[in-house]
Every structure is written in structure tokens, then in C-alpha cells.
Amino acid sequence: MKTKLENIVVKEIDVKEICNLSKIDCFDYVINPYTGCTYDCKFCYACFMRRFAKHKEEWGQFVDVKNWQNQKFQKISGKSVIIGTVTDPYNPLEAKFGRTRKILQELSDIDCQITIQTKSHLIQNDIPLLKKLKNVRVVVSLCTLDEDLAAGLEYELSVASRIETLKKLHKNKIKTTLFISPIMPELTNIKEIIDKTSAFVDEFWFDALELRNEFKPRILNFIWQYYPNLYQLYNDIYRLGDQTYFKKIKEQIPNLCKNKPFLDRIKIKKDKQTEVV
């Protein structure tokens, strides 16, 4: 059963530092205005954060709202920062607490490259603020155009609302990136998504579905229940380590992007049989 917003455990916490060094190659710093998320996506890799949050609730059932004071954002001048790597910075609680808006206001005088990663239409409320920022990009993630499939994987995150968000951002001359992620074998139609969105997307990112920790059985059970004809393929990839499917995807991506910039984050693991020990 999907988590309802009214059942989310919400508390405010004080943090000494809101802007931290990034472990992601493309960015110098990372900001997560919240710990936890209300969406409870079945494929959410960020569920590992639960062990740091001191919550008995499951991932997707709690959100910590961060408070901070006297942050020295000048340290990221001339650097790149991404907002929202293990939470959605525009999850529904942003409408009440406005922590992401506060961050953007504090960064408005800092000459840095800002990337915001979200699935939420709530970012549209901050378009006037985004237009004032010197260098900002909004990344919206999508793994399918099929509303039924999206509803089965992501809580209250329609395909239509994300496409409309990209259109409005583009219309307001805000740089848009469509993050086609996670690419779910035989369920994510990359060509269809690019054809549908290329008119209002400036660049594309790609990342494969990775299954680890506790959400591996969640996805495999989902496939078994709703797409049993694909179960063998998923078993081959995620239990036997066959990377053939994603190798083909990587080869196809440059031709699919219609000459637009793209970032391919699909990692191909070495074949265990040929790996040098």
C-alpha cells in the first residue's frame, strides 16, 4: 500500500551544515533540504539514508525538515552544486516549509552553477526566483510515458505533470534536463520519451535501474506480479549479472538524442568470467 501524506512522520531538525562536499563526479557540492521523502518510489536508491536518520519508520514514511543558520555559502562561489540527491527538494512538504526556496534565496548572490533535481510540479511556484539566478538548471526525472506504470512505481507523480513542468520551465528560458531514469529493461522506451520531449528539453541524462539492498526484491516482485513475461530478463540482469541489455542501450543513446547534449551515467559491470583477478 502506498504511503499517504497524512501518515508521514515529520519533524524539524537543526543541522550545522546544509551544503556538503559531493561524492558525485559532476558536482562540487550537494544540498539536501530534507532527509527522507514522501514519494516512496519502489526503485528509490536513497533508502540507504534511513540508517543515518534515527527513524524506526520505513523509508518513505518520514521526512526530517532541516533548519540551518549562518551558512557560509561563499565557499561554493565558482563551483557547482546539486540540490536534491537523496530527497526530492520539492516534495509536498516544500509547500509548507519552503526550505528549498530559502536555499535558492540564499544562493541568489553567489556566482555558482546550480542544478535542481526534482519530479514535482511545485518547482513551478519558484520560476520567478529561478529566473533571477545566474546559472541554474532543472533536472526532471522520468522513466516512462505510461501513466499506469508510473502510478505503480512512483507515488502521486504523474507523467503529464512532469512534462508540463518541463514545458513551463523551458518557456521561461530556464535550462531543462530530462533525466531518463531509471531505465527499466523493456519498460522504458527511450526513443518514445525523447521524441515526446525534445522540443522543450535542452539536454538528456541517462541512468540504468540498479537493484541493491532491500528494494531489489521489491522491484523483482513487482515485475513478477505485473510483467511476468519480463521476469527472466530481470533475473538474468540482476541476479546473473548479464549486462548485454544495457550495453546495447549505451550504443544506441548517441543516435537517439537528436544531436542534443547528453550525459550517460549507465555503468556496465565487468563480466565476472573475464575480470582480471
Side-chain angles (χ1 to χ4, degrees):
M1 181 180 295
K2 292 178 179 178
T3 304
K4 300 298 182 183
L5 183 58
E6 59 267 22
N7 294 328
I8 299 290
V9 174
V10 180
K11 68 176 183 179
E12 295 189 50
I13 62 172
D14 295 328
V15 296
K16 293 181 179 179
E17 186 64 67
I18 192 65
C19 185
N20 298 291
L21 287 171
S22 172
K23 295 181 180 179
I24 304 173
D25 293 340
C26 306
F27 303 98
D28 299 307
Y29 290 91
V30 59
I31 297 176
N32 286 294
Y34 305 90
T35 297
C37 188
T38 64
Y39 292 142
D40 193 27
C41 300
K42 281 187 169 62
F43 48 68
C44 181
Y45 66 88
C47 60
F48 75 91
M49 289 293 295
R50 178 176 177 268
R51 64 178 179 264
F52 303 113
K54 299 180 181 180
H55 274 270
K56 63 180 180 180
E57 296 82 16
E58 295 297 322
W59 184 258
Q61 297 179 352
F62 69 88
V63 174
D64 291 343
V65 181
K66 296 180 181 180
N67 296 319
W68 62 91
Q69 294 180 346
N70 303 320
Q71 295 294 298
K72 297 179 180 180
F73 287 111
Q74 289 78 9
K75 68 182 180 181
I76 64 174
S77 179
K79 304 292 186 178
S80 61
V81 59
I82 181 168
I83 302 174
T85 56
V86 292
T87 187
D88 192 312
Y90 283 95
N91 72 80
L93 292 169
E94 172 67 12
K96 177 180 179 180
F97 292 99
R99 290 300 185 265
T100 301
R101 177 176 291 182
K102 183 175 186 291
I103 285 169
L104 295 178
Q105 290 170 336
E106 295 187 21
L107 291 179
S108 61
D109 294 328
I110 306 295
D111 186 11
C112 64
Q113 179 182 315
I114 302 170
T115 298
I116 306 168
Q117 187 168 244
T118 184
K119 300 179 182 181
S120 174
H121 67 281
L122 288 178
I123 194 172
Q124 295 180 38
N125 297 333
D126 283 349
I127 285 178
L129 177 56
L130 295 174
K131 292 173 72 172
K132 294 179 181 179
L133 298 174
K134 297 177 181 178
N135 189 347
V136 65
R137 163 177 57 196
V138 176
V139 181
V140 176
S141 60
L142 191 67
C143 73
T144 180
L145 296 179
D146 185 329
E147 292 284 10
D148 291 334
L149 175 57
L153 294 169
E154 306 165 290
Y155 175 60
E156 290 187 352
L157 293 164
S158 75
V159 173
S161 69
R162 279 176 271 181
I163 288 178
E164 183 61 26
T165 295
L166 286 166
K167 287 180 177 178
K168 287 190 176 181
L169 291 167
H170 184 75
K171 183 178 180 180
N172 280 276
K173 303 186 185 311
I174 296 166
K175 187 175 182 179
T176 57
T177 296
L178 179 57
F179 193 10
I180 301 179
S181 172
I183 298 172
M184 301 190 66
E186 293 301 313
L187 292 177
T188 300
N189 188 325
I190 297 175
K191 183 179 185 304
E192 182 182 39
I193 294 173
I194 291 176
D195 288 346
K196 176 78 173 180
T197 62
S198 61
F200 45 87
V201 167
D202 295 304
E203 64 179 349
F204 294 95
W205 291 1
F206 302 89
D207 203 2
L209 173 70
E210 292 190 25
L211 297 184
R212 54 185 182 271
N213 303 328
E214 61 265 33
F215 67 91
K216 183 173 183 176
R218 291 177 69 183
I219 291 293
L220 292 179
N221 289 339
F222 176 83
I223 295 298
W224 176 255
Q225 182 176 0
Y226 295 103
Y227 302 93
N229 59 309
L230 298 179
Y231 187 79
Q232 186 60 55
L233 173 63
Y234 278 70
N235 187 73
D236 290 346
I237 296 172
Y238 297 107
R239 286 202 169 119
L240 302 181
D242 185 347
Q243 299 292 299
T244 304
Y245 184 88
F246 285 114
K247 286 179 181 178
K248 291 180 179 178
I249 293 294
K250 285 179 72 71
E251 293 172 358
Q252 295 169 359
I253 282 175
N255 292 328
L256 292 173
C257 286
K258 301 181 180 296
N259 298 318
K260 290 200 173 184
F262 67 90
L263 174 63
D264 176 5
R265 294 175 56 182
I266 299 173
K267 298 177 182 178
I268 301 296
K269 298 178 182 178
K270 292 181 180 179
D271 186 335
K272 293 180 180 179
Q273 294 181 346
T274 59
E275 186 174 353
V276 177
V277 179

